[in-house]
Amino acid sequence: MSVAIGASVSTLADPFAAGAEAAASIRDALGHAQPDLAVVFASGGHLSAPEALLEGIHDTLEPAALVGCGAGGVLGGGRELESGTAVAAWAASFGGAGHAQAFHAQLSGDDVDGEIDDLPSAAHATGTVLLTDPYSFPADAALASLAADAPAVPVLGGIASARTPQGSAALFLGEEVWETGAVGVHFDGVELLPCVSQGAAPFGRELTITAAEGNVITELAGRPALQTIESVIGELTPRERTLVAGGLLIGIVIDTGRPDYEQGDFLVRGVLGADRDTGAVAVGATVHAGQIVRLHARDARSADEDLRRSLALRVGALAGRSPAGALVFSCNGRGRQMFGTADHDAGAVMRELGGAPSAGFFAAGEIGPVGGRSFLHGFTATVAVFPS
């Protein structure tokens, strides 16, 4: 039996009614089969009573597992609701071929550098979705822990972008609401294709880091890093220089075992500062000598092209099968703010995946793999595509 997925968005103000409405639409799409997993994102007034929202979903849909979180905005079915009160729900039945293991993880004690408790191993997983609270849970440390167990398993998800009126996180697991930590799900026997669109275009020539320490690049191509970057900027077209002037980024190749590097091969990070006396440049990632880097900049056109190209590549990888559905994690700095129009990412996902059911949320940070490793990103759209 193939994978069946349904997704729905409700804008009803009452949380129980909104959950029931979204769940009823999904139930009908699944042919009344009990879903193995539901994923729920709630915004606005629903965060005053998230338990009622979950009750409405469970009473109607009865999912075997459920995860989700509070969101500044939600998306689904080609629509983006960047503010206000709404719920986006997504559910899948894997037809007996796969399993979803939901979990809640948190730090032991109050120390931000403490151990992470109850984060199950991903050693036997085919993919993971992780949703974290930005204040009480270290996403980077969790990604490192998961990678140590299973370096090839893709992790996708995002940072919760809204809190309850009391100021706590709203993380959903089953019918419970957790105020701290992270929730997630490991997939076993479920095929998942990760798509990461970083919304930035590369400019200029590739450069090799020849000296670095920590997150500071001291030399590029044997010359002071700042001097080399200024030289490359001087070679750009006027339009490219304008984009770079709006916010210079550095793209770092993670998987160096390829003959050529394209847009999606770079981990894009910000330039944090520079020292003109020494020529050193600080970036938002740990770097080392021998890595390849390239200048990047964000703009709406490159973000649009990159997302559509990345999704088309995933569809092509299905080798004739159709997408059953997708989970979407879009940066809360995208939407109208980046593209000037509504529904960009949600619409692109719907078009490129042939109308397959999709839902997601606007995150305060997005999780997805680049070069075989999963990272926390910004201004990114990450998509988990599930084949039929």
Side-chain angles (χ1 to χ4, degrees):
M1 186 182 296
S2 62
V3 174
I5 291 175
S8 182
V9 172
S10 174
T11 57
L12 293 179
D14 180 80
F16 181 88
E21 180 181 62
S25 177
I26 292 172
R27 180 193 59 199
D28 294 342
L30 295 180
H32 297 268
Q34 182 188 26
D36 296 296
L37 173 67
V39 185
V40 179
F41 305 107
S43 66
H46 293 327
L47 296 179
S48 296
E51 294 87 353
L53 175 74
L54 298 181
E55 183 181 358
I57 291 173
H58 276 277
D59 284 358
T60 304
L61 198 56
E62 299 182 342
L66 182 149
V67 297
C69 68
V74 303
L75 56 87
R79 302 168 59 199
E80 295 180 358
L81 303 170
E82 298 182 51
S83 61
T85 295
V87 57
W90 180 99
S93 173
F94 302 124
H99 174 70
Q101 177 194 3
F103 60 84
H104 171 254
Q106 58 188 343
L107 288 176
S108 57
D110 298 324
D111 187 353
V112 294
D113 296 320
E115 295 292 325
I116 299 175
D117 291 336
D118 303 319
L119 182 65
S121 170
H124 301 291
T126 50
T128 295
V129 166
L130 185 67
L131 307 169
T132 74
D133 171 46
Y135 300 105
S136 64
F137 191 82
D140 284 329
L143 292 175
S145 176
L146 291 170
D149 286 335
V153 174
V155 183
L156 293 103
I159 309 299
S161 53
R163 306 178 76 74
T164 69
Q166 293 73 38
S168 63
L171 302 168
F172 312 145
L173 179 68
E175 297 186 65
E176 293 185 84
V177 179
W178 291 85
E179 296 183 351
T180 60
V183 295
V185 57
H186 288 324
F187 295 101
D188 182 5
V190 177
E191 188 176 358
L192 179 160
L193 296 181
C195 172
V196 176
S197 173
Q198 298 189 74
F203 297 109
R205 64 183 187 271
E206 293 176 359
L207 301 165
T208 301
I209 299 175
T210 47
E213 182 176 355
N215 71 324
V216 177
I217 303 172
T218 52
E219 286 187 3
L220 285 168
R223 300 170 62 201
L226 181 58
Q227 180 183 351
T228 305
I229 289 173
E230 290 175 335
S231 175
V232 172
I233 291 174
E235 300 166 1
L236 300 179
T237 67
R239 178 182 180 273
E240 291 172 340
R241 284 198 296 271
T242 299
L243 292 175
V244 168
L248 178 63
L249 305 168
I250 293 288
I252 307 162
V253 173
I254 301 301
D255 180 6
T256 57
R258 303 181 61 175
D260 299 296
Y261 304 113
E262 301 177 348
Q263 187 166 357
D265 297 326
F266 294 89
L267 175 66
V268 179
R269 289 293 186 258
V271 175
L272 306 181
D275 186 328
R276 185 159 294 280
D277 292 336
T278 64
V281 175
V283 299
T286 301
V287 290
H288 59 80
Q291 284 184 302
I292 304 297
V293 300
R294 195 173 175 190
L295 304 187
H296 279 64
R298 302 193 196 282
D299 75 311
R301 187 174 75 182
S302 64
D304 171 67
E305 293 172 350
D306 186 39
L307 178 58
R308 290 188 287 107
R309 178 188 64 85
S310 299
L311 289 167
L313 287 173
R314 300 313 178 275
V315 173
L318 297 179
R321 292 178 296 165
S322 60
L327 284 168
V328 185
F329 311 98
S330 182
C331 178
N332 55 13
R334 290 171 69 99
R336 288 179 183 269
Q337 179 177 327
M338 174 176 280
F339 299 104
T341 58
D343 308 330
H344 178 273
D345 287 352
V349 170
M350 171 166 276
R351 289 189 298 272
E352 297 297 333
L353 300 187
S358 61
F361 80 112
F362 286 97
E366 309 76 57
I367 297 170
V370 173
R373 290 170 51 193
S374 294
F375 296 91
L376 182 63
H377 306 277
F379 288 93
T380 298
T382 67
V383 185
V385 180
F386 295 82
S388 59

